[in-house]
Amino acid sequence: QVQLVESGGGLVQAGGSLRLSCAASGGSLSIAAMGWYRQAPGKQRELVASITSSGNTHYADSLKGRFTISRDNAKNTVYLQMNSLKPEDTAVYYCKVVLFRRDYWGQGTQVTVSS
């Protein structure tokens, strides 16, 4: 059973930065695809960024250049570096792992960007 624990969320002023972490356990996570999603109040959950086991990355078009996803397979951890944050980035951010065609989700971490 894969378990995910996110951390690093919080309150930040517009223009600031945050780094989210998602520590995973319970599987052969070096072969898993990992990603970050977010859900703002009243909106659907959306993809922020993903990274394959080989390190190939994909970003939502609107976030390219501000957000960077990375992973450390030795630590079974995926990161999301968020720079130049805007109030519209306010959301709950979720980590997702895809392993053997099953999706596993973290509990989410709140990111609030004040103007």
Side-chain angles (χ1 to χ4, degrees), residues 13-89:
Q13 288 188 334
S17 297
L18 283 175
R19 188 193 194 204
L20 305 183
S21 299
C22 173
S25 61
S28 302
L29 297 163
S30 63
I31 65 173
M34 307 178 86
W36 289 95
Y37 288 70
R38 69 184 184 183
Q39 187 166 19
K43 295 187 177 181
Q44 290 188 332
R45 192 173 297 189
E46 62 176 359
L47 173 69
V48 173
S50 63
I51 185 166
T52 67
S53 57
S54 57
N56 293 320
T57 58
H58 173 77
Y59 295 92
D61 287 342
S62 62
L63 301 175
K64 288 180 181 178
R66 294 195 297 123
F67 289 16
T68 303
I69 189 171
S70 61
R71 64 190 292 165
D72 184 335
N73 287 337
K75 295 182 179 180
N76 285 335
T77 300
V78 61
Y79 304 97
L80 184 68
Q81 178 67 43
M82 305 186 293
N83 298 327
S84 302
L85 283 162
K86 304 175 181 180
E88 51 264 43
D89 294 319

